[in-house]
Amino acid sequence: MYLLLLVSLLGSALCVPLDTDNDVTRNANYEHYLLPGESYPTFYDVRLFLNPDVTDNFRGEVTIRIVPRRTTNQIVLQAMEMQIDSIRLTRSDSLQQNLFLNFVQATDDTHFLTINSNTPLVMGLTYIVDISYTSRFAENMFGVYISTYEEPGVGTQRLITSQLQPTFSRRAFPCYDEPAYKAIFRTTIYAPPAYPVVRSNMPERTDLLKPEVAGYRKFEFQDTLMMSSYLLAYLVSKFEYVTNEASPLYNVPFRVYSRPGTQNTATFALDFGQRNMIALENYTEFTYAFPKMDKAAVPDFAAGAMENWGLVIYREVALLVRDGITTTNTRQNIGRIICHENVHMWFGNEVSPTTWTYTWLNEGFANFFENFATDLVLPEWRMMDQFVLLLQNVFQNDAVLGVNPMTHPVYTPSQIIGTFNAVAYQKSGSVIRMMQHFLTPEVFRRGLIIYLRNKHVPINWVLSTNADFSNTSPQGWVPPTFPAVSFDIPGLSSADWYIVNKQQTGYYRVNYDVENWQALARVLNSSHQTIHVLNRAQIVDDSFNLARNGRLNYVHAFEISRYLVQEADYIPWASANSALNYLDIVLSGSDVYDLFKTYMLELSTPLYERLGFSSQLPEEHVTAYHRNIVLDIHCRLGNQHCVNRSQELLEQFRNNPSQRLNPDVQTTVFCSGLRGGDVNNFNFLWNQYLASTDSSEQSILLNALGCTSNAERRDFYLNQVISATSAVRDQDRHSVIVSVINSSPENMEVALDFVIEHFAAIQPRVQGLTGTTNILNAFARRLTTRQHATKIETFISRHQSIFTAGELAAIGAIQENIAASIAWSEQNYATVSSWLNDNFRSSANVVTSSLLILISIFIAVYNI
């Protein structure tokens, strides 16, 4: 009730309706996709016959206890990709009389299964529906599906698992497949004896109820709490596990299941997962409700992970940590994803949205707490500092005119999948972070959300005369209505500079008058540590993005960026890297691109000297990210020492693959070695990928292989996406195209032509939730010219009949971003060109010479 109140108040605070019967939220064109609501379920008894060696279909039986909301002759639920074998309908107090007349199974994407009775069903009485059916295993990892892996010395092994969110419970058994229809679930799985590890949401029960079936081993599970159908999960496997049961940190049985032989890679998940659950229980003062917590790492999984209550399913790379192989970035992502799914045990599972119109109520809270609650356990990771980078990144997605709001009515399965995007996750998480600050952390923690309708934005400020950035509580409110309000800031006239939005806690950008921008540039270049590190990141990010959108002259952004030559902290550099990457894209091929590269190298040379290729232990957790930024700049933009050192390291690895490189620099080293077009380098790394059984190592290699500049090898690599004999898993195939897009302007053009030509073949071969949209979003960040606009028009004309709602939204973003980039060139190129020429034309040779001298010193000092 406490959390339900929290969500209800949040709905009021954000001025969004939570009543799905409100006509405002219903769309006459699509409301027929919603269940009519003539009845609701209270209890399901599901029996599944799951055999991984029978790969086409599985049998199932379900008994549903339902209650009519009004007297009716119909029961409408949902069933997808299944054959209904028999239906029986009875009253709970008269089981002998079959009331079933007939059924109609929809052939469209409503997936309705309408059961007609031969007599009226009376409002408020309880009825029992028994359905036997045969369902197909899903081929796109949405529903119940078969995954495979190679076990050394054994060969190919199969397993069965599931992904039922958001609209795929209906593929597992006929059900009321909308989140508001909560019920209690009893599950029995019949599996062959060869697959002894069978798990579902609850522990196995001791009071067995179901009959034995010849050829199968029976697994009966305890009844769940009241829950939405999309939170069910199944695992039939030969997996092994590590457990906390001998020495628990957490008082609930906690297991991590994975392929045999990988149990040593589950240690981090077991340790961090327990400590994180303890931290969340302490924070929420609300005990985890289920009697166990299983986490399973499966080779093929559409999402990063799924918060099924009591049995959380992960993609392998999102759960397993292998020392010496797993990068710092991947390890952090694993911690973050574990925390994200743990948070859902409260936000999403205890409290669920009534419809997927309110996806953000699940994912926004999980996005915020995946950082905040990881920080509770591992503060040295600086997750809440890094959150500012997430916020700055989502500003770009939110700047597209066609972006959906947080509360976004969706009805069709395609629309529902499309709502799992940056708005539901990162933007909503950023807004919730803003709430935490303006309410103060303790008030927020208590759930006493006091956020008045006539107040969406809190503001605060700091003056040079008292540079205290610690108190982030509001000093004023900007209403969401016009006219705008003004504030009389005491002492402003005597301050040299001022900053609005301390620690960038508010979800908004800040523009200043020219004099204050100039003053901020001066203080940053003279004594940057006077300003809080998160506000240094904010100033860099705001200035470049305001300039990008025509609201600020680029001169001020560049003058601010000069200070980065002194900046040693990762967070501002990460902000700068994102901002300057856009300039790298739009200036590539221009007359001033060489000057821009010179500028980037000059800013980052002190860091290149300090960080190099080798970690100097002990070092801060985020230093690995910082090193990657600097090495990428120097190797990609032509620092010959960086290129040569990468080639040397790759050559050493080729000569002795057992001597592995620092995982955190592998992508840079591999990419640099591939950019020269060497066929042997590509073939070596491709063979490393084929030989690897570690999902983290495979991810590194897939992201690097796209860097090849060899045309024949690049074509070979791209064709792995659509080849019938591809060695790349469906869930990873989009990474092939994304890696080519991101590697260089030349490769991006080849990838664009490939997608235009083969999209119809690509679409069914990449994982369905985000595969194609990830590809299209990568293009949205890189396409900038009229020629690109023409190619996208061709793309649309060829494939518009097969685009999903999510793909259409991504294509709309591409078109907007291309138009914005064309406008950028017309409005800003002259200014940027002039600034670079004025500041670097005369000194370019001096800069290059100085860089070489510094590198020589670096080589001598560190003997590399």
Side-chain angles (χ1 to χ4, degrees):
M1 181 63 72
Y2 171 82
L3 292 177
L4 182 61
L5 174 64
L6 173 79
V7 172
S8 298
L9 288 172
L10 274 173
S12 300
L14 291 171
C15 305
V16 296
L18 289 182
D19 181 0
T20 55
D21 290 328
N22 189 321
D23 289 341
V24 174
T25 70
R26 301 177 75 92
N27 183 319
N29 294 323
Y30 293 107
E31 65 178 358
H32 66 280
Y33 277 87
L34 296 177
L35 288 170
E38 85 301 323
S39 61
Y40 63 91
T42 61
F43 178 82
Y44 292 82
D45 187 343
V46 182
R47 287 88 66 198
L48 301 174
F49 294 79
L50 300 178
N51 184 349
D53 297 321
V54 177
T55 58
D56 290 334
N57 52 54
F58 62 93
R59 292 189 296 114
E61 301 166 352
V62 60
T63 299
I64 312 173
R65 187 181 301 151
I66 67 110
V67 178
R69 283 196 172 102
R70 55 182 176 267
T71 299
T72 179
N73 284 81
Q74 289 188 332
I75 297 170
V76 183
L77 56 163
Q78 289 144 324
M80 177 184 177
E81 295 285 332
M82 64 176 59
Q83 173 186 306
I84 303 300
D85 298 321
S86 68
I87 297 178
R88 180 176 173 84
L89 172 62
T90 59
R91 227 170 82 170
S92 62
D93 59 354
S94 180
L95 298 179
Q96 302 306 312
Q97 184 180 6
N98 189 357
L99 307 180
F100 172 71
L101 179 62
N102 56 35
F103 74 91
V104 177
Q105 192 169 4
T107 56
D108 61 15
D109 59 349
T110 63
H111 306 136
F112 285 160
L113 173 63
T114 302
I115 300 172
N116 296 306
S117 65
N118 57 26
T119 190
L121 307 178
V122 180
M123 178 179 68
L125 296 183
T126 301
Y127 294 83
I128 306 297
V129 180
D130 293 288
I131 305 175
S132 296
Y133 62 95
T134 304
S135 185
R136 293 188 59 81
F137 283 117
E139 296 179 352
N140 61 355
M141 296 179 283
F142 288 101
V144 181
Y145 67 95
I146 293 176
S147 177
T148 63
Y149 60 92
E150 296 299 317
E151 185 173 348
V154 178
T156 301
Q157 296 281 12
R158 295 188 181 92
L159 63 95
I160 291 173
T161 189
S162 61
Q163 167 66 37
L164 304 187
Q165 188 190 47
T167 59
F168 302 103
S169 302
R170 66 191 70 171
R171 294 187 82 161
F173 56 95
C175 60
Y176 295 76
D177 194 15
E178 293 174 9
Y181 289 88
K182 294 192 173 189
I184 295 169
F185 293 85
R186 178 178 297 168
T187 298
T188 304
I189 296 177
Y190 292 89
Y195 294 88
V197 177
V198 177
R199 305 296 283 178
S200 188
N201 304 75
M202 294 291 288
E204 291 185 60
R205 63 190 307 143
T206 55
D207 55 331
L208 301 182
L209 306 171
K210 299 295 188 292
E212 303 291 339
V213 175
Y216 288 91
R217 182 178 172 189
K218 179 184 62 172
F219 298 82
E220 294 189 53
F221 298 97
Q222 298 172 23
D223 294 355
T224 69
L225 299 179
M226 190 82 70
M227 59 186 262
S228 301
S229 59
Y230 76 87
L231 293 171
L232 290 164
Y234 315 114
L235 177 68
V236 177
S237 71
K238 299 177 182 178
F239 276 6
E240 296 174 0
Y241 65 88
V242 296
T243 178
N244 73 339
E245 288 160 51
S247 55
L249 296 174
Y250 183 46
N251 61 6
V252 171
F254 196 110
R255 293 181 178 182
V256 182
Y257 286 84
S258 60
R259 292 180 290 119
T262 62
Q263 280 57 59
N264 62 325
T265 67
T267 304
F268 175 83
L270 182 66
D271 176 72
F272 175 79
Q274 293 183 80
R275 292 194 288 143
N276 182 246
M277 287 293 285
I278 293 168
L280 285 166
E281 281 195 353
N282 291 339
Y283 183 89
T284 61
E285 299 182 8
F286 196 109
T287 304
Y288 171 64
F290 269 41
K292 74 172 177 74
M293 172 63 87
D294 290 343
K295 294 180 181 291
V298 301
D300 300 287
F301 197 66
M306 176 58 208
E307 65 267 18
N308 316 297
W309 216 343
L311 174 56
V312 184
I313 308 293
Y314 293 76
R315 189 184 294 192
E316 270 193 4
V317 74
L319 188 65
L320 303 183
V321 172
R322 184 178 170 192
D323 291 337
I325 296 295
T326 302
T327 66
T328 299
N329 182 54
T330 300
R331 184 187 296 265
Q332 178 175 295
N333 278 340
I334 288 170
R336 181 179 54 79
I337 293 169
I338 289 172
C339 182
H340 181 106
E341 305 311 326
N342 287 350
V343 168
H344 273 309
M345 300 302 115
W346 288 265
F347 297 101
N349 298 9
E350 287 282 0
V351 180
S352 308
T354 52
T355 76
W356 296 114
T357 287
Y358 308 102
T359 297
W360 74 268
L361 287 175
N362 274 13
E363 303 304 343
F365 274 101
N367 178 266
F368 170 75
F369 277 104
E370 76 185 33
N371 295 277
F372 180 81
T374 297
D375 202 61
L376 294 177
V377 178
L378 294 169
E380 65 273 19
W381 283 13
R382 296 179 63 188
M383 295 300 291
M384 292 311 289
D385 284 355
Q386 293 187 62
F387 198 106
V388 167
L389 305 176
L390 177 150
L391 177 148
Q392 292 170 356
N393 182 63
V394 79
F395 273 144
Q396 292 301 321
N397 294 319
D398 209 20
V400 177
L401 290 176
V403 71
N404 58 274
M406 286 166 57
T407 298
H408 177 52
V410 287
Y411 302 94
T412 73
S414 177
Q415 290 172 344
I416 289 168
I417 286 178
T419 199
F420 287 80
N421 58 17
V423 170
Y425 288 77
Q426 288 88 357
K427 177 181 177 179
S428 299
S430 298
V431 170
I432 291 167
R433 172 177 173 264
M434 179 172 69
M435 292 179 182
Q436 186 204 34
H437 280 271
F438 74 65
L439 291 169
T440 72
E442 183 57 21
V443 173
F444 177 82
R445 188 181 81 83
R446 291 288 178 188
L448 304 177
I449 307 302
I450 307 167
Y451 186 54
L452 303 178
R453 186 179 295 257
N454 64 346
K455 291 186 175 180
H456 285 285
V457 181
I459 69 165
N460 52 37
W461 53 80
V462 64
L463 307 181
S464 62
T465 50
N466 181 24
D468 178 6
F469 290 84
S470 60
N471 186 354
T472 59
S473 60
Q475 293 166 279
W477 296 86
V478 177
T481 56
F482 288 98
V485 297
S486 60
F487 294 92
D488 183 11
I489 300 177
L492 181 61
S493 60
S494 59
D496 293 328
W497 51 263
Y498 63 98
I499 292 172
V500 174
N501 199 7
K502 287 188 278 189
Q503 298 188 43
Q504 202 171 16
T505 57
Y507 186 75
Y508 53 88
R509 296 199 185 281
V510 182
N511 202 352
Y512 301 105
D513 56 77
V514 168
E515 290 75 14
N516 197 54
W517 281 118
Q518 292 171 335
L520 291 174
R522 286 194 298 271
V523 70
L524 284 170
N525 281 284
S526 62
S527 54
H528 64 280
Q529 292 184 335
T530 302
I531 297 175
H532 192 282
V533 63
L534 300 188
N535 284 105
R536 301 201 299 267
Q538 173 208 21
I539 290 166
V540 171
D541 183 67
D542 278 355
S543 63
F544 272 100
N545 281 284
L546 290 167
R548 174 177 171 176
N549 294 315
R551 292 176 170 86
L552 181 67
N553 191 302
Y554 258 105
V555 167
H556 304 300
F558 275 115
E559 290 298 325
I560 283 168
S561 70
R562 283 182 181 274
Y563 105 92
L564 290 166
V565 75
Q566 309 166 47
E567 179 61 77
D569 195 279
Y570 162 68
I571 303 295
W573 256 106
S575 295
N577 190 54
S578 296
L580 293 168
N581 273 345
Y582 178 74
L583 290 175
D584 187 88
I585 292 167
V586 294
L587 293 177
S588 62
S590 72
D591 293 340
V592 295
Y593 189 52
D594 286 342
L595 296 179
F596 176 76
K597 291 194 291 186
T598 299
Y599 178 54
M600 291 291 292
L601 292 170
E602 181 191 67
L603 287 180
S604 55
T605 290
L607 287 171
Y608 182 75
E609 288 182 291
R610 182 166 68 86
L611 298 176
F613 282 83
S614 303
S615 57
Q616 306 296 318
L617 297 177
E619 63 182 19
E620 194 179 13
H621 171 78
V622 295
T623 300
Y625 302 143
H626 208 172
R627 178 176 291 111
N628 271 333
I629 287 174
V630 174
L631 292 181
D632 176 68
I633 290 171
H634 280 256
C635 285
R636 185 168 50 82
L637 298 186
N639 175 345
Q640 197 57 47
H641 175 266
C642 188
V643 173
N644 292 343
R645 184 58 179 153
S646 293
Q647 295 281 10
E648 291 168 7
L649 289 170
L650 179 54
E651 185 69 20
Q652 290 174 18
F653 183 45
R654 280 182 56 186
N655 291 336
N656 191 358
S658 63
Q659 295 297 311
R660 296 190 174 273
L661 301 173
N662 175 357
D664 292 323
V665 302
Q666 284 184 13
T667 300
T668 297
V669 169
F670 294 163
C671 265
S672 190
L674 289 166
R675 285 194 185 103
D678 189 288
V679 172
N680 293 326
N681 282 344
F682 181 93
N683 290 340
F684 169 74
L685 293 174
W686 176 246
N687 288 329
Q688 289 290 116
Y689 172 78
L690 296 178
S692 177
T693 58
D694 184 89
S695 54
S696 180
E697 182 178 32
Q698 290 174 341
S699 178
I700 291 170
L701 290 163
L702 283 179
N703 287 322
L705 284 162
C707 293
T708 183
S709 61
N710 182 281
E712 186 275 331
R713 292 287 81 189
R714 183 175 57 212
D715 290 345
F716 162 83
Y717 191 51
L718 284 170
N719 275 286
Q720 293 302 307
V721 179
I722 58 175
S723 170
T725 59
S726 175
V728 182
R729 293 181 182 273
D730 288 4
Q731 67 181 19
D732 297 325
R733 290 187 183 184
H734 72 274
S735 297
V736 171
I737 298 178
V738 171
S739 70
V740 176
I741 293 169
N742 290 336
S743 63
S744 69
E746 296 77 18
N747 281 9
M748 187 269 291
E749 297 290 347
V750 174
L752 178 58
D753 292 339
F754 179 84
V755 170
I756 292 171
E757 181 68 23
H758 299 289
F759 188 77
I762 293 168
Q763 193 184 49
R765 288 175 172 83
V766 299
Q767 62 101 341
L769 184 62
T770 57
T772 52
T773 53
N774 279 342
I775 293 168
L776 295 172
N777 288 338
F779 280 129
R781 293 186 288 269
R782 300 254 169 203
L783 301 180
T784 60
T785 67
R786 286 187 173 84
Q787 290 77 14
H788 292 151
T790 300
K791 285 189 176 183
I792 292 300
E793 289 172 5
T794 301
F795 176 56
I796 294 170
S797 65
R798 285 192 187 181
H799 304 292
Q800 59 185 346
S801 63
I802 63 171
F803 289 142
T804 66
E807 289 162 358
L808 287 171
I811 291 167
I814 290 175
Q815 292 176 311
E816 277 197 46
N817 286 329
I818 291 175
S821 293
I822 293 170
W824 184 95
S825 295
E826 293 171 349
Q827 297 166 11
N828 297 305
Y829 177 78
T831 301
V832 172
S833 175
S834 176
W835 190 89
L836 290 169
N837 273 290
D838 290 346
N839 288 277
F840 288 95
R841 175 64 68 189
S842 59
S843 60
N845 293 333
V846 175
V847 170
T848 303
S849 300
S850 300
L851 179 61
L852 291 173
I853 292 169
L854 288 169
I855 290 167
S856 299
I857 295 171
F858 180 57
I859 294 169
V861 170
Y862 291 100
N863 192 29
I864 65 171

